[in-house]
Amino acid sequence: GSEIVLKLKEGAQGTAVGSVIYRMRASDQDGDPLQFALLGQAANELLSVRPDESSPNQADLVLIKELDREVYLSHTLCSLL
């Protein structure tokens, strides 16, 4: 897979809960349906994957919890294709 690094800001000037922070796009040479998922407890506490109903090859990554750098200083997303 490849590494995707997203930088999000916490607090009033930061990334708002409910924001789409990244749109994931992928394809499969055989045309098989794709599944997007999050790995790890921290990722699942902070983020949600919202499939794009109009395109099975896309999904939005949505922030579902306010960021706190005292808990996690940074977050790394990896795509597994």
Side-chain angles (χ1 to χ4, degrees):
S2 59
E3 185 175 314
I4 301 166
V5 178
L6 301 175
K7 294 186 179 189
L8 307 174
K9 294 182 180 180
E10 67 172 301
Q13 300 298 321
T15 305
V17 172
S19 296
V20 173
I21 60 169
Y22 192 76
R23 171 159 282 183
M24 298 178 285
R25 293 184 179 107
S27 61
D28 180 77
Q29 290 180 347
D30 299 325
D32 294 330
L34 300 175
Q35 292 184 345
F36 296 92
L38 297 167
L39 300 176
Q41 180 179 350
N44 283 288
E45 289 175 2
L46 289 172
L47 305 167
S48 174
V49 174
R50 186 173 60 201
D52 185 335
E53 293 182 17
S54 65
S55 174
N57 294 339
Q58 295 184 150
D60 290 332
L61 194 56
V62 180
L63 184 65
I64 60 171
K65 183 178 177 184
E66 191 171 322
L67 297 172
D68 183 352
R69 70 173 180 210
E70 292 177 10
V71 176
Y72 295 104
L73 189 55
S74 65
H75 304 278
T76 302
L77 305 175
C78 294
S79 63
L80 305 173
L81 301 175

